[in-house]
Structures are given as C-alpha cells and as structure tokens.
C-alpha cells in the first residue's frame, strides 16, 4: 500500500491505555531522542525515540510527552519547540505549539524551554513517576531536580514521587502486540523491503561490488517511500557472509561466491528485516545448494512453530534440530544427535538465536520470558523474525573443504495470527529454483 494511504495509528487510544495502567497516582515523562552530532556542523538524520513516537507520532527533536491522569491543567501535555521563522529557514519547518496541539491531539502544548518551571508542579501529589531511567544522564539529572522541587514542599503537605518505574515496564508490553494499524504499516514496510531484495537479486552479477548491490537495494527502499534503512545493510559475498554484522560492503563479488544480504527499510517508525543468500552468478553450486537446503528446511520448520499459545522458545528449538540433522548429513558433525544438542556443538556454525521481536526497533522491545522465568507463549499480533543460518568460516580446518567460506542465512518477518503464521516478507523468493529463475531475468529497468 502507498505509504500516504496507510491508516493513522490511534495515538490517543494508546495514551489512554497507558494512563489507565498508571492511574491518577502516577505520571509519565517521556522524552524523544536528541540530535546526534556526526561531525562538525553535521548531525545524523534525526530518528524519534520509539516509545515517544508510539504515543505521539510527533517527529521533531526537543520534545517531551507528559501524561498525568486526572491533572487539572491537562492530562496529556506535550512540550515542544515553538515556531521560529529564522531558524526554520535554516533547519526546516516546525509544528510549533498550535500545530503540535492539533497534530497530536494532546490537551496542552508548552514551549520545551519552560519545562523546568512547569514540571515540578505536575509531579506534586503523584506517588509514581515513570520515565526511561538511565537512557540519558541529562534527563536523569532533570528528573531528580524536578522531583526534589516537589519534595521540598513536603512540609506544606505536598506528596512527591516515591516510586520510580522504568517506562518500558508498562509500555513495552503494549508495543509487543501490534494493533491493526501497525500490522498494515508492517505489511507495507516488509513489502518495500522485499521489493528491494527482489531488485537486488536481478541486478547482482560477478564483478559488481558489495556496495553497488547495497545501493541497488536501498534505491528501491527510498524510491518506494522508506524514511531510512532500518539498520546498516549487510552485503557480504564469499567468506564475508560468515561475519554476522559485516557492514563494510567494500569487496568485489566474484564468480562462484554466494552473497548474504541482510537489509530492511524503515517506514513510519517500523522496521523490515529480511535476509537472503544467493549465488552471485545466479546458479547455486552443489555445495552451496546442500548448505542452503538445510537452512531453508530449518527456517520452514521454525515458521511452522509460530502458532498462538506455543512457547517462543519452540521455534528456535525446531530450527536447531533441523540444522543439527543437516550438519550430520553434510558430514560436518559426526557425533550423535543427542550429544550435539546436549553439548551445543552446532554453535560453532550457528551462533545466534533464531529470531527476535520486530516492530519499531529492529530488535524490538518486549520480554521473552514471563515473571515466572518461563518462556512466554505467542499471542496474535506479535511479530518475529525467523532467521536461522549456517556459517562455515574459511578457518574451519576440520570440515570438508567444499563448505569452507560459505555463509547462509534466510530471514523472514512473521506476524502471529489466529489463522497461523503470516509471512510478511513472502514477496522475495527463497526457494532455490525461484531465486535462480528471478536472477535469470537479468537487470530490471529502473
Ligand atoms: N538485521 C539484524 C538482525 O537480523 O537481527
Ligand atoms: Mn536481519
Ligand atoms: Mn533479524
């Protein structure tokens, strides 16, 4: 779906839901991210804090959301930058207080420079203060000052926050279950990510450099409306595929190499996260295909485990079992299945887990275990990646030589639904014949 036709998330409803959890004993103070310097006079592209953006949809820096259920001066307050025609000529438009009030549908907007004057009064008679502790030293100091101010009035009978709650504690449970608007946005962002991968497969050929393949893929992300890449793209050919977070992307890709591409777009604050591994020349060699088939079987088995009510650990276990059988069939591990699992001998070749929550953050928030320490069960609306892999670095002296230097990962993004797993990233092929057929079409026209 066109990015500008996507449904608007229910920010007001989310704030109400959080406020109901807080009760009128509590107050939440949620700042957005700050601008980060890249080098002299240059900033990194601004990216709002995910928690703040989840509750406001407001994408300017220097803003703080305050939620104070029952507060007579307005329960939902946004502190932000006022209009400043001179600065706006240099740095771009600002919503200003009136614009932000209308856009975010909060009760009040104040100039962010007034926060030190206004906030201590809001903290008065609140016992619980929720904020992202430790996220910023500067914020920690401000919060202590605002709290001390309220505390200094204790003799006049004013109560002040005595309980501090980490903001993620209440908020991240909400963020873990994606509502219908979020599901639509995630279908869109994974769809555009898949389109980038499909385009990359067609452009790929021996002699091309990793960065050129990266550029082809990211070109499609941006052309389709992505706001950013969700994380630095990984394009690793040959043995570079065995470096899990390889991002140099500088090497030439050679005839006979397999290339591992892990790349995703970001749209409206949501991430796609897709990996495909394919032959640079468009045809899998027999050893590449043998390894690829094991990873693919493992990935398909893992996706099958993403059913409502099943433990979040089950899909990793399912993936590992198939990988272990494959490692034995390939003659890479010779011990018994039980011994390999017991001693985790597969970890020399599969050193990460099978996936993670996906959402506004690529490694999204949310606990994997419940308060009892048990793995939690899957619920409708959760989104996970499924990304098993096998990595045989060239230094693995004790495996058959034909497999050395091959790295394969296959990663899809999956929504847990009542009807079973919905593979959001299904738009990019992963069956070897389908990859070869797409690559055989050759360069697509821009
Ligand atoms: N792209 C990061 C990950 O797959 O976890
Ligand atoms: Mn990834
Ligand atoms: Mn991932």
């Amino acid at each position: 779906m066109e990015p500008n036709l996507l449904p608007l998330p229910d920010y007001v409803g989310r704030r109400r839901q959080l406020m109901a959890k807080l009760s009128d004993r509590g107050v939440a103070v949620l700042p957005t991210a700050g601008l980060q310097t890249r080098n002299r006079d240059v900033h990194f592209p601004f990216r709002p804090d995910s928690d703040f953006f989840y509750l406001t949809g407001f994408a300017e820096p220097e803003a703080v959301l305050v939620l104070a259920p029952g507060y007579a001066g307005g329960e939902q307050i946004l502190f932000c930058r006022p209009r400043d025609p001179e600065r706006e000529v240099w740095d771009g438009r600002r919503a200003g207080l009136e614009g932000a009030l209308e856009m975010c549908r909060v009760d009040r907007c104040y100039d962010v420079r007034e926060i030190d004057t206004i906030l201590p009064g809001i903290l008065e008679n609140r016992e619980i203060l929720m904020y992202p502790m430790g996220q910023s030293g500067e914020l920690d100091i401000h919060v202590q000052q605002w709290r001390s101010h309220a505390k200094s009035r204790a003799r006049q009978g004013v109560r002040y926050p005595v309980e501090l709650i980490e903001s993620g504690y209440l908020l991240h449970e909400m963020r873990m279950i994606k509502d219908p608007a979020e599901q639509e946005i995630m279908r869109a962002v994974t769809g555009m990510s898949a389109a980038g991968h499909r385009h990359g497969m067609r452009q790929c050929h021996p002699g091309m450099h990793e960065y050129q393949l990266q550029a082809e893929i990211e070109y499609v992300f941006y052309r389709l409306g992505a706001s950013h890449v969700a994380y630095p793209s990984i394009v690793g050919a040959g043995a570079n595929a065995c470096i899990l977070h390889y991002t140099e992307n500088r090497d030439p890709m050679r005839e006979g190499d397999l290339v591992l591409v892990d790349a995703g777009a970001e749209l409206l604050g949501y991430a796609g996260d897709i990996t495909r591994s394919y032959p640079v020349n468009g045809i899998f060699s027999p050893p590449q295909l043998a390894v690829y088939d094991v990873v693919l079987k493992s990935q398909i088995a893992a996706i099958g485990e993403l059913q409502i009510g099943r433990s979040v650990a089950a899909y990793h276990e399912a993936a590992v079992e198939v990988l272990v059988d494959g490692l034995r069939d390939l003659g890479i591990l010779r011990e018994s299945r039980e011994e390999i699992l017991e001693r985790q001998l597969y970890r020399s070749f599969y050193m990460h887990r099978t996936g993670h929550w996906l959402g506004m953050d690529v490694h999204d928030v949310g606990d994997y275990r419940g308060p009892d320490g048990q793995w939690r069960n899957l619920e409708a609306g959760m989104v996970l990646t499924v990304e098993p892999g096998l990595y045989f670095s060239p230094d693995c002296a004790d495996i058959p030589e034909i497999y050395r230097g091959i790295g394969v990962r296959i990663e899809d993004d999956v929504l847990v639904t009542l009807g079973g797993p919905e593979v959001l990233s299904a738009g990019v092929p992963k069956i070897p014949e389908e990859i070869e057929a797409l690559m055989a079409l050759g360069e697509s026209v821009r």
Side-chain angles (χ1 to χ4, degrees), residues 116 119 124 148 157 191 209 255 260 262 301 338 360 364 370 383:
D116 285 332
L119 211 59
E124 287 184 5
S148 298
H209 284 68
E255 177 75 35
L260 183 154
D262 184 345
E338 293 66 35
M360 300 188 84
D364 207 25
V383 179

Side-chain angles (χ1 to χ4, degrees), residues 245-431:
H245 290 160
Y246 175 79
T247 50
E248 285 114 330
N249 303 353
R250 299 312 300 169
D251 285 347
M253 305 191 292
R254 291 162 317 200
E255 177 75 35
D257 280 348
L258 207 59
V259 61
L260 183 154
V261 180
D262 184 345
E266 184 173 286
L267 176 68
L268 297 172
Y270 289 81
D273 183 9
I274 302 178
T275 307
R276 289 294 184 265
S277 309
Y278 46 93
V280 167
N281 65 7
I283 309 282
F284 284 91
S285 71
Q288 288 168 352
L289 193 59
V291 176
Y292 190 92
D293 275 341
V294 171
V295 178
L296 181 60
K297 250 198 239 153
S298 151
Q299 206 242 11
I300 290 169
I303 291 174
E305 292 295 319
L306 297 182
Q307 309 287 347
I308 292 173
R310 215 159 284 180
S311 147
V312 67
Y315 87 122
H316 175 64
E317 286 156 15
V320 166
E321 285 188 22
V322 177
L323 292 179
V324 166
D325 288 342
L327 287 166
R328 294 180 78 243
D329 292 344
L330 294 173
I332 287 169
L333 289 175
R334 293 189 181 77
E335 294 78 0
S336 71
R337 198 168 189 261
E338 293 66 35
E339 187 180 353
I340 295 170
L341 287 168
E342 167 78 25
R343 295 175 53 205
Q344 300 195 346
L345 299 175
Y346 58 85
R347 293 197 59 160
S348 303
F349 313 109
Y350 182 44
M351 48 298 269
H352 57 81
R353 284 190 72 82
T354 300
H356 48 84
W357 306 126
L358 181 69
M360 300 188 84
D361 295 307
V362 63
H363 289 179
D364 207 25
V365 294
D367 292 330
Y368 291 86
R369 293 179 190 265
D372 56 1
Q374 299 298 310
W375 293 106
R376 66 191 305 159
N377 291 335
L378 296 176
E379 297 169 43
M382 290 175 165
V383 179
L384 303 97
T385 67
V386 185
E387 49 180 306
L390 285 175
Y391 312 93
F392 303 118
S393 105
D395 312 326
C396 290
D398 48 357
I399 69 167
E401 201 176 338
I402 49 168
Y403 299 127
R404 291 183 210 158
I406 294 179
V408 172
R409 175 163 68 253
I410 306 171
E411 176 173 32
D412 277 314
D413 305 333
V414 180
L415 170 68
V416 178
T417 79
L418 274 172
E422 177 184 337
V423 181
L424 302 175
S425 46
V428 51
K430 62 182 175 185
I431 308 295

Side-chain angles (χ1 to χ4, degrees), residues 188-254:
V189 74
T190 48
M192 65 173 62
S193 303
H197 277 269
R198 273 200 314 274
H199 175 79
M201 282 180 182
R202 292 188 60 176
Q203 308 308 112
C204 182
H205 56 81
M208 193 179 199
H209 284 68
E210 293 163 339
Y211 57 82
Q212 291 173 316
L213 183 53
Q214 172 188 355
E216 293 289 349
I217 293 164
E218 293 181 5
Y219 154 75
V220 173
F221 293 173
Y222 288 114
R223 195 191 67 192
L224 294 178
S227 48
H228 302 278
V229 288
Y231 52 90
S233 302
I234 297 169
V235 181
N240 291 340
C242 302
I243 304 168
L244 297 180
H245 290 160
Y246 175 79
T247 50
E248 285 114 330
N249 303 353
R250 299 312 300 169
D251 285 347
M253 305 191 292
R254 291 162 317 200

